[in-house]
Amino acid sequence: MSSADLQAAVDALRRGGVVAYPTEAVYGLGCDPHDEAALRRLFALKRRPPQQGVLLIAADFEQIRRYVALDQVPESALQRVLASWPGPSTWILPRSTDVPSWISGGHAGIALRVTAHAPAAALCRAYGGALVSTSANRHGEPPTRSAAEIRTVFGDELDALVDALVGGLERPTAIRDAISGEFVRQ
């Protein structure tokens, strides 16, 4: 990952853009979670209904703490979540009032991940906060796994592309409910 790619992505995010970046298994599309217009554009690019909601990815827990209704999370559940981060674990937690409705898609919880994948974590750190993270593909199509695939699928529709390798996972991260521990997606 070049520093120029990273800076271009941060600049695009700050202008309300949609960017592609590598995650643990696939490329993701991201934007500022507080920019409703950017998220609407992201959904339009994916051709995906917005009611599904999206997850947020971060470099550390402090970047996502504000999105969690911590008073609704039992200590044992919080410890289980924190023990898995940073890493390829996505958890659904009770959402705080800081979560914009367009992020949760009408769900009571919010899906969050503190990534250990260096390029994604570097992007969150450089941006200074959590980012939307959803697979970089058209809705119903296989997720992309390389910058070349991103260019084929999206052409010049994106505002920036972080060209780096995805992590070693074969499939997107599992999603679990933090309170029950049950898998929502494996």
Side-chain angles (χ1 to χ4, degrees):
M1 171 177 66
S2 76
S3 59
D5 276 359
L6 185 62
Q7 189 58 53
V10 168
D11 292 345
L13 290 164
R14 291 192 176 134
R15 289 190 313 269
V18 176
V19 304
Y21 58 93
T23 68
E24 292 86 347
V26 300
Y27 256 79
L29 292 180
C31 65
D32 180 335
H34 294 275
D35 188 331
E36 185 177 8
L39 190 61
R40 275 197 309 265
R41 184 161 163 256
L42 184 150
F43 279 126
L45 286 165
K46 281 185 66 79
R47 301 178 186 149
R48 175 181 163 186
Q51 298 80 12
Q52 292 179 322
V54 291
L55 68 90
L56 301 184
I57 193 170
D60 57 54
F61 182 67
E62 290 309 309
Q63 289 186 333
I64 55 174
R65 175 187 294 273
R66 68 186 272 200
Y67 301 111
V68 180
L70 287 170
D71 61 329
Q72 297 175 30
V73 182
E75 185 62 28
S76 60
L78 182 60
Q79 290 310 312
R80 179 174 52 236
V81 168
L82 294 176
S84 74
W85 286 342
S89 299
T90 300
W91 295 91
I92 297 174
L93 290 140
R95 65 182 173 103
S96 74
T97 57
D98 279 351
V99 177
S101 60
W102 54 85
I103 293 295
S104 61
H107 299 284
I110 183 166
L112 302 168
R113 181 169 72 250
V114 174
T115 184
H117 187 58
L123 179 60
C124 292
R125 272 193 296 279
Y127 181 65
L131 296 171
V132 166
S133 187
T134 184
S135 60
N137 58 302
R138 304 289 189 194
H139 188 62
E141 297 294 320
T144 56
R145 294 182 175 271
S146 70
E149 287 180 36
I150 289 287
R151 291 181 189 102
T152 298
V153 172
F154 293 102
D156 62 357
E157 294 178 89
L158 300 174
D159 299 297
L161 168 63
V162 176
D163 189 345
L165 296 176
V166 296
L169 294 184
E170 293 294 317
R171 316 166 53 177
T173 62
I175 300 176
R176 293 174 67 186
D177 181 281
I179 307 300
S180 70
E182 293 179 17
F183 284 93
V184 175
R185 175 182 82 188
Q186 286 187 322

